[in-house]
Amino acid sequence: MECVVQGIIKTQHVEALEILLQGLCGVPKESLRIHELCLKSAPVLGVVASEVRLLCDLEQPEPTWTVRHVGGAMRGAGAEQISVLVRTVVESKASKNVLRLFYALGYKLDHELLRVGFAFHFQRVARITVTVTSVDKMPKLYAIDDAVPVMPGIQLVEVTAPASSENYTEVVAAISSFCEYLAPLLHLSKPGVATGVVPTAVAAAASLMSSGGGKSF
């Protein structure tokens, strides 16, 4: 299982967010450059169509591939009452031939994206990951070098952590607590829930840039 929240921030405030995250996490950031391909299987009688994402890590000396399938979200009264989405996720490392394999299995490319930015990883109840990325689209197939932002001037912020049926409540609490530290800069909520830029972001960014950081989380 995975616990996740998302939000957006103006690109002009990303440096302030990085300063805050550095202070909270106490670890160096990691650069990200991920080519993401979303594949969908053709509907077949009696078989539910499926979707997988192939993630190619372009920051590595030799690009590495990961297959990722996101399942359904946790349902019920308990799930509705928490501000963090809890969902099933399956991930596996793969070889460079993975795209060819899925094409052979009948999958078709639905869309592709390039995510460029940075991440922080730190340990609390679980290994929490914070990513800040520009989500870019390609004008033509595999044209990574020509990618342009989907939302110019806006970057996506995502906080995720692995969880199990035994400990997800503790992981949700840890993520919710962490998000409170980021609240002056951005609002984080379940994926799919519309959030805008918070009105306090300008003042909070200015304060962070002048003070140089935050307290450890």
Side-chain angles (χ1 to χ4, degrees):
M1 299 171 70
E2 178 184 68
C3 298
V4 56
V5 289
Q6 291 179 342
I8 58 173
I9 189 170
K10 288 185 176 180
T11 300
Q12 68 197 65
H13 299 147
V14 166
E15 186 178 354
L17 176 59
E18 182 182 339
I19 291 172
L20 177 59
L21 289 171
Q22 181 73 66
L24 292 173
C25 304
V27 294
K29 71 176 182 180
E30 170 188 307
S31 295
L32 289 182
R33 192 164 184 259
I34 305 291
H35 183 198
E36 179 178 311
L37 300 100
C38 178
L39 305 177
K40 293 186 177 181
S41 64
V44 179
L45 186 63
V47 178
V48 178
S50 67
E51 176 182 304
V52 296
R53 294 179 183 270
L54 306 185
L55 311 177
C56 183
D57 186 350
L58 302 174
E59 275 295 316
Q60 303 302 317
E62 182 70 26
T64 59
W65 289 84
T66 300
V67 181
R68 179 176 171 86
H69 171 71
V70 177
M74 187 177 72
R75 299 183 181 278
E80 296 298 324
Q81 293 169 4
I82 59 177
S83 59
V84 177
L85 182 70
V86 182
R87 62 191 182 188
T88 58
V89 170
V90 178
E91 276 192 359
S92 176
K93 296 296 183 183
S95 74
K96 61 183 179 182
N97 298 317
V98 65
L99 181 58
R100 187 183 307 169
L101 169 65
F102 275 96
Y103 281 158
L105 291 173
Y107 283 76
K108 306 292 184 184
L109 179 64
D110 184 70
H111 64 271
E112 58 178 337
L113 298 169
L114 183 68
R115 299 179 184 270
V116 181
F118 59 87
F120 285 91
H121 307 280
F122 61 100
Q123 188 71 33
R124 291 298 179 269
V125 176
R127 186 173 190 259
I128 297 177
T129 297
V130 186
T131 60
V132 182
T133 56
S134 169
V135 181
D136 303 341
K137 59 184 178 181
M138 272 67 85
K140 56 185 178 181
L141 204 59
Y142 309 142
I144 297 172
D145 294 335
D146 299 325
V148 294
V150 173
M151 298 183 293
I154 296 291
Q155 299 212 13
L156 175 69
V157 181
E158 189 172 67
V159 182
T160 61
S164 67
S165 57
E166 288 78 27
N167 78 342
Y168 78 86
T169 54
E170 289 85 357
V171 177
V172 165
I175 288 180
S176 298
S177 176
F178 179 73
C179 290
E180 291 177 6
Y181 288 92
L182 307 183
L185 277 177
L186 75 157
H187 177 66
L188 293 155
S189 61
K190 296 177 181 179
V193 176
T195 59
V197 176
V198 298
T200 56
V202 175
S207 176
L208 282 162
M209 294 299 288
S210 62
S211 65
K215 299 182 294 183
S216 295
F217 169 55

